[in-house]
Amino acid sequence: MSEFDVDLFVIGAGSGGVRAARIAGGYGARVMVAEEFRFGGTCVIRGCVPKKLLVYASRFAHEFEDAAGYGWTVGEPTFDWPTLIANKDREIARLEAAYIATLERSKVEMVRSRAVIEDRHTIRLVKDNKTVRAKTILVATGGWPHMGPNIPGLEHIISSNEALHLDAMPKRILIQGGGYIAVEFACIFAGLGSEVTLVYRGENILRGFDDDVREHLRNEMRKRGIVVTCGHTVTEVGKAGDEFSVKLSDGSSVTVDKAMFAIGRRPNCMNIGLEKLGVRCHEHGGIEVDAYSRTAVPNIYAVGDVTNRVNLTPVAIREGHAFADTVFGNRPTKVDHNLVPTAVFSEPEIGVIGLTEAQARKELAQVDIYKTSFRPMKATLSGRDTRVFMKLVVDGTSDRVVGCHIVGPDAGEIIQVLGIAVKMGATKADFDATMAVHPTAAEELVTMREKAASYKRAAAE
Ligand code: FAD
């Protein structure tokens, strides 16, 4: 008899854990996965998917308005939040069932329990206080919203988790944060008709994105009535009946029906038994792993947000798959974290890949910038005040396109496809040689001829 109950024990059935379990199962490994909440993890249950459904819902208001310019008469539209949430929950339940069915097909044993590591081969299932012996352990426990310092009234503040399950839509909401989750929820609530205030402590929203993109989106959000307040923080939240009075660091206060924080996420790597084994993990930085997702303990691996590398679903999935190929498929596979395309489902949407202008100027000897901003065709008849923004960052020495930044309708869809070209090392000349598709917004990406700026680093730099 084997000294182990299973070949692989996966802690966490989110994007990374489920993929790893399924692929390892396919290689014939005996796999058990423990999940303390719901199968599917953050992406399916309280992240990408429910959020995108709310994004779709929020965009109808503009569609109704814009239709008038095209000759349609639309009656006064009304919106029912409980219907949206119930329908969204039904879809999430369907997806969770699909995840479970996939794991069943791969003969993966599923346990609904919190799991903690006792020693390098033993896992304790907290619910039944049982132990399981595993040859290999994969930690795929994801991340959790960070709520910041313990300010007065913190207990009244919701995170993105609760925002997806509110009983009623808030007429007024204040969101603190400047990252993509804060921005997306601000646009969702504004689209659905809430009065939205976005408070961010930094100079401008979306730190890490190209500066032109940040400025463009901020302006577009303002046009949609979102109050964007930078350079301040929330210091206190007081409750009076159903209302909340949110105090800011400049002494001002805003009265709202809900206050939400989206100020970052922390990896779920503490209190699961890793520290005592010598696995390096940090409350901010996540679990330290090598290129094969292996921790300092040779039979313990970690993938996804808990390793805090690139915290996106497709990356967690790729890491989980690569882990299973490496350990159970006899095919050592590293994940390339370079040039990951990504989207922000704001209104308008953002799609980006590669270097920002500032990063390119730091890293490259010569940088050429091409950019354009224009009114999308659809906005002509509708009369909507909105503009598309596009920028190409080109390595002036090799002519390679090293960055592409889009703000406008379908930017996420565009950047997915453009990502292939950029990943393959397409040059600006390749872009120029590609025939435009007319009339589209994306055609601008292959018709920009005039450099907006060109930078050369002095020889001594
Ligand atoms: P998770 O999916 O978080 O799964 C971890 C699982 O482990 C959870 O189900 C948790 O309950 C379980 N768990 C934790 N500890 C234990 C334990 N001790 N025992 C048992 N189970 C445990 N990414 C995108 O690519 N695109 C998007 O548009 C996008 N939108 C997002 C929107 C929001 C609001 C949020 C919060 C995230 C979003 N993300 C998006 C990020 C994406 O959801 C994550 O990168 C992805 O889910 C990470 O997968 P994971 O497998 O690492 O962890």
Side-chain angles (χ1 to χ4, degrees), residues 11-18 34-49 51-52 113-116 140-145 160-161 164 180-181 184-185 265 268 271-272 303-306 310-317 342-343 345:
I11 308 179
S15 307
V18 167
E35 170 54 55
E36 68 177 346
F37 185 54
R38 289 177 68 182
F39 283 78
T42 304
C43 174
V44 175
I45 308 296
R46 47 194 169 198
C48 332
V49 176
K51 170 202 78 186
K52 187 84 189 275
S113 168
R114 180 169 176 79
V116 291
T141 47
W144 195 252
S160 59
N161 290 347
L164 296 164
Y180 79 93
I181 295 176
E184 288 175 341
F185 275 90
R265 291 174 62 81
N268 277 330
N271 309 318
I272 48 174
V303 295
D305 284 9
V306 75
V310 180
N311 296 335
L312 292 169
T313 289
V315 178
I317 290 174
T342 185
F345 295 100

Side-chain angles (χ1 to χ4, degrees), residues 210-228:
D210 186 272
D211 287 338
D212 280 335
V213 167
R214 300 168 75 187
E215 203 45 41
H216 190 88
L217 185 74
R218 186 171 169 175
N219 281 335
E220 289 287 329
M221 288 172 75
R222 281 188 178 138
K223 285 182 198 169
R224 286 158 175 77
I226 298 171
V227 177
V228 181

Side-chain angles (χ1 to χ4, degrees), residues 147-455:
M147 296 302 276
N150 192 14
I151 59 166
L154 189 66
E155 68 278 11
H156 303 309
I157 299 168
I158 62 167
S159 72
S160 59
N161 290 347
E162 295 76 39
L164 296 164
H165 287 105
L166 297 175
D167 293 337
M169 198 190 76
K171 287 201 177 69
R172 299 158 299 176
I173 184 166
L174 180 141
I175 300 174
Q176 176 165 241
Y180 79 93
I181 295 176
V183 162
E184 288 175 341
F185 275 90
C187 294
I188 288 170
F189 282 114
L192 294 175
S194 302
E195 280 172 30
V196 180
T197 306
L198 184 69
V199 177
Y200 177 52
R201 67 176 174 175
E203 220 171 89
N204 202 356
I205 54 171
L206 291 179
R207 188 161 61 91
F209 283 75
D210 186 272
D211 287 338
D212 280 335
V213 167
R214 300 168 75 187
E215 203 45 41
H216 190 88
L217 185 74
R218 186 171 169 175
N219 281 335
E220 289 287 329
M221 288 172 75
R222 281 188 178 138
K223 285 182 198 169
R224 286 158 175 77
I226 298 171
V227 177
V228 181
T229 305
C230 290
H232 299 300
T233 54
V234 172
T235 55
E236 192 177 334
V237 177
K239 191 172 189 309
D242 290 339
E243 288 185 343
F244 299 95
S245 171
V246 183
K247 246 198 199 149
L248 303 187
S249 48
D250 64 350
S252 65
S253 64
V254 187
T255 304
V256 290
D257 306 299
K258 275 284 174 255
M260 168 179 165
F261 279 7
I263 54 175
R265 291 174 62 81
R266 292 277 160 87
N268 277 330
C269 62
M270 311 308 278
N271 309 318
I272 48 174
L274 288 168
E275 303 90 335
K276 62 179 186 244
L277 298 181
V279 172
R280 279 186 290 275
C281 46
H282 192 269
E283 205 188 338
H284 302 269
I287 299 175
E288 258 184 47
V289 291
D290 69 11
Y292 296 99
S293 297
R294 187 196 285 246
T295 70
V297 177
N299 73 304
I300 301 182
Y301 291 73
V303 295
D305 284 9
V306 75
T307 61
N308 204 18
R309 287 175 279 184
V310 180
N311 296 335
L312 292 169
T313 289
V315 178
I317 290 174
R318 192 64 74 85
E319 289 169 359
H321 202 128
F323 153 80
D325 283 345
T326 301
V327 178
F328 298 99
N330 204 20
R331 254 193 309 141
T333 308
K334 290 182 189 172
V335 172
D336 179 2
H337 292 96
N338 238 337
L339 288 172
V340 175
T342 185
V344 178
F345 295 100
S346 47
E347 182 56 28
E349 209 163 285
I350 295 176
V352 299
I353 183 167
L355 300 180
T356 64
E357 179 174 335
Q359 287 167 338
R361 288 183 64 185
K362 239 190 230 166
E363 290 178 24
L364 304 173
Q366 194 176 328
V367 178
D368 295 330
I369 302 296
Y370 296 82
K371 57 183 177 183
T372 181
S373 171
F374 56 95
R375 194 173 193 198
M377 194 179 193
K378 191 173 171 192
T380 53
L381 296 200
S382 70
R384 179 163 300 284
D385 177 16
T386 182
R387 292 184 78 76
V388 173
F389 174 79
M390 290 179 180
K391 178 190 254 187
L392 294 180
V393 181
V394 178
D395 179 342
T397 311
S398 65
D399 196 41
R400 273 185 65 166
V401 176
V402 291
C404 180
H405 308 269
I406 307 169
V407 190
D410 302 319
E413 304 290 341
I414 297 170
I415 208 70
Q416 176 67 87
V417 183
L418 199 67
I420 302 171
V422 175
K423 188 80 185 158
M424 287 174 75
T427 60
K428 179 66 170 62
D430 293 323
F431 274 56
D432 295 346
T434 305
M435 201 64 84
V437 178
H438 185 72
T440 63
E443 68 180 302
E444 295 285 332
L445 291 164
V446 297
T447 55
M448 281 190 259
R449 294 289 186 268
E450 297 289 317
K451 285 179 198 168
S454 193
Y455 307 97

